[in-house]
Amino acid sequence: MWLVVACVPLLPAVFMVSARCRVKVASLCHGALAWALRLLRGRACAKSTHAFVFSQCTHGQADSVLQTFELYADTHPSLCIGPLTGEALDEAVRRLGPSRVLELGMHCGYSSVRVLRLLRPAGRLIAVELDPLAAELGEEVILVAGFKHSQFQVLTSSSAEAIPTLRSFLEVNQRVSDGLDLVLMDHDPAQYLPDLLALEREELLCPSGCSVLLIYGNRRARNRGDVLDWIRARPDRYSVKSELQFMTEIFYQNKSTRVDE
């Protein structure tokens, strides 16, 4: 009896903890459901987009593939970045002239095709896509556009799992000047900063200079300001080059690294 009496004052705290647990569980369930719905919608979008592009474009012509993507997006929901952001991406690729490009979030292959058609002859693209179906369909679109497997590599994986393995695909040698020239992030905005940190930690960003393009599209990214605040707090290595409505370009350079001649 005395134990019951002693526990009575603790009941409000127990109920409060219980309520908080229910809120957390409900929040987790809501997040999981939202993720599942996005995945299902994304898969349906990938299938319908791929079918339209595959049947309507001129095979072997990258520009025809892009135009067909945009024709489809005019009347259907689409995950591709669209021509306005695409033109900004084109400008960045032409200006930078990268040799090694990493794309996180390839979706249906639209951005991949845009980048590949502007790369140097010896350039290479590595595209990472979490959804196996989107990765498979996106790879087919790249091939339909006329590119060969020697020019690109598709990795079906989360960005967190893929980044530690990239060195073997890039064939980075011992020269510190090697690494990624351009990184395109168009996956989960919540992963942009963790993935950027992972790329730097794995020494995959070219020390002499690497541009990172953060694509936001029509998504509301609550962490966008946090990412930019973190970038601006590290002026020794990072700078914000441009801020467009749907795309932000940041530049990484490790000025403390000396390149042996």
Side-chain angles (χ1 to χ4, degrees):
M1 175 65 71
W2 65 269
L3 184 59
V4 174
V5 173
C7 290
V8 169
L10 300 176
L11 289 177
V14 172
F15 287 135
M16 183 178 297
V17 172
S18 177
R20 289 179 178 176
C21 288
R22 288 197 299 270
V23 170
K24 288 183 178 180
V25 170
S27 177
L28 289 173
C29 291
H30 182 271
L33 179 60
W35 177 84
L37 289 174
R38 286 196 301 270
L39 180 61
L40 290 174
R41 286 197 295 265
R43 286 196 159 200
C45 177
K47 286 182 178 179
S48 58
T49 304
H50 173 272
F52 185 86
V53 172
F54 194 85
S55 62
Q56 299 297 320
C57 75
T58 301
H59 288 211
Q61 295 186 16
D63 287 339
S64 174
V65 169
L66 296 177
Q67 291 167 5
T68 308
F69 261 114
E70 293 159 9
L71 179 63
Y72 178 87
D74 285 341
T75 54
H76 299 79
S78 176
L79 294 176
C80 69
I81 60 176
L84 292 179
T85 307
E87 289 172 6
L89 174 59
D90 287 354
E91 187 279 328
V93 176
R94 290 191 180 99
R95 169 168 44 86
L96 299 168
S99 297
R100 293 184 175 96
V101 181
L102 171 65
E103 180 184 19
L104 299 178
M106 70 177 296
H107 305 300
C108 298
Y110 177 85
S111 300
S112 306
V113 173
R114 291 203 81 113
V115 171
L116 279 166
R117 82 194 207 285
L118 297 176
L119 284 187
R120 299 176 180 179
R124 183 171 174 80
L125 169 71
I126 297 179
V128 178
E129 173 56 48
L130 176 63
D131 180 19
L133 177 62
E136 178 183 351
L137 299 179
E139 184 171 4
E140 286 187 8
V141 165
I142 295 174
L143 294 171
V144 165
F147 300 104
K148 301 177 180 179
H149 279 116
S150 59
Q151 298 171 278
F152 71 95
Q153 175 80 42
V154 176
L155 304 180
T156 305
S157 167
S158 68
S159 55
E161 293 172 333
I163 288 173
T165 71
L166 291 180
R167 186 173 296 274
S168 60
F169 294 99
L170 288 170
E171 297 179 349
V172 178
N173 59 33
Q174 297 302 313
R175 290 182 57 195
V176 295
S177 60
D178 287 333
L180 294 165
D181 306 303
L182 175 63
V183 177
L184 172 63
M185 295 190 180
D186 189 19
H187 53 318
D188 180 4
Q191 286 297 121
Y192 286 1
L193 184 54
D195 287 344
L196 182 60
L197 292 172
L199 289 168
E200 183 179 0
R201 183 171 60 250
E202 296 290 335
E203 299 182 346
L204 291 168
L205 303 177
C206 183
S208 61
C210 175
S211 287
V212 182
L213 305 180
L214 308 178
I215 306 294
Y216 290 96
N218 294 318
R219 296 163 294 185
R220 291 185 178 181
R222 297 179 181 178
N223 68 324
R224 185 172 189 174
D226 295 337
V227 174
L228 294 180
D229 288 343
W230 186 90
I231 294 298
R232 294 189 175 104
R234 298 191 63 192
D236 57 320
R237 295 197 178 188
Y238 290 95
S239 61
V240 179
K241 286 297 184 181
S242 65
E243 291 185 64
L244 303 177
Q245 184 178 3
F246 299 135
M247 186 178 80
T248 299
E249 179 181 354
I250 62 178
F251 184 72
Y252 167 87
Q253 186 177 38
N254 189 350
K255 300 176 182 178
S256 64
T257 302
R258 294 182 179 179
V259 180
D260 295 332
E261 303 201 4

